[in-house]
C-alpha cells in the first residue's frame, strides 16, 4: 500500500495511460490529470479517456447497442 501522494499520482497516471491504449508522448498530460485528481479537482477519477479512435468507436457503439437491446432472436 502506498502512503506517498506521488506514488498515488504515478499509479493513476499509469492507469490513464493504459486506459487510453498506451499512447506515446502523453505522459505529461496523464501526470497532470492524475495530479489534478489527487488535489480534488473536478475531474472524476477512473473514467476519463480521450475519444476512442474511429474504428474503436464503432466497435464500442455496436457492443453498447448489443447490451442495451433485448434479445431479438427469442421473439422473432
Amino acid at each position: 500500500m502506498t502512503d506517498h501522494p506521488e506514488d498515488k499520482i504515478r499509479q493513476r497516471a499509469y492507469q490513464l495511460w493504459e486506459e487510453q491504449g498506451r499512447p506515446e508522448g502523453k505522459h505529461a498530460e496523464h501526470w497532470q490529470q492524475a495530479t489534478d485528481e489527487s488535489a480534488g479537482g473536478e475531474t472524476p477519477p477512473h473514467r476519463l479517456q480521450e475519444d476512442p479512435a474511429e474504428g474503436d468507436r464503432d466497435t464500442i457503439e455496436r457492443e453498447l447497442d448489443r447490451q442495451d437491446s433485448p434479445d431479438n432472436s427469442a421473439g422473432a
Side-chain angles (χ1 to χ4, degrees), residues 2-3 10 14-15 18-19 24-25 33 35 38-39 51 76:
T2 60
D3 293 325
R10 182 178 294 109
Y14 183 82
Q15 180 183 24
E18 284 194 321
E19 287 175 356
E24 292 185 29
Q33 182 176 336
T35 301
S38 73
D51 286 340

Side-chain angles (χ1 to χ4, degrees), residues 5-69:
E6 188 170 305
D7 289 337
K8 291 180 181 179
I9 292 169
R10 182 178 294 109
Q11 289 174 350
R12 178 63 180 137
Y14 183 82
Q15 180 183 24
L16 290 166
W17 176 69
E18 284 194 321
E19 287 175 356
Q20 293 180 10
R22 300 180 176 185
E24 292 185 29
K26 298 252 184 174
H27 61 278
E29 292 174 31
H30 295 146
W31 188 270
Q32 185 61 52
Q33 182 176 336
T35 301
D36 292 346
E37 289 177 12
S38 73
E42 295 182 17
T43 306
H46 302 95
R47 289 294 150 211
L48 286 177
Q49 295 186 36
E50 293 180 1
D51 286 340
E54 202 57 44
D56 292 339
R57 183 186 312 245
D58 292 341
T59 302
I60 291 168
E61 288 176 357
R62 277 195 307 272
E63 181 64 24
L64 289 173
D65 287 344
R66 190 170 60 103
Q67 290 175 2
D68 289 341
S69 64

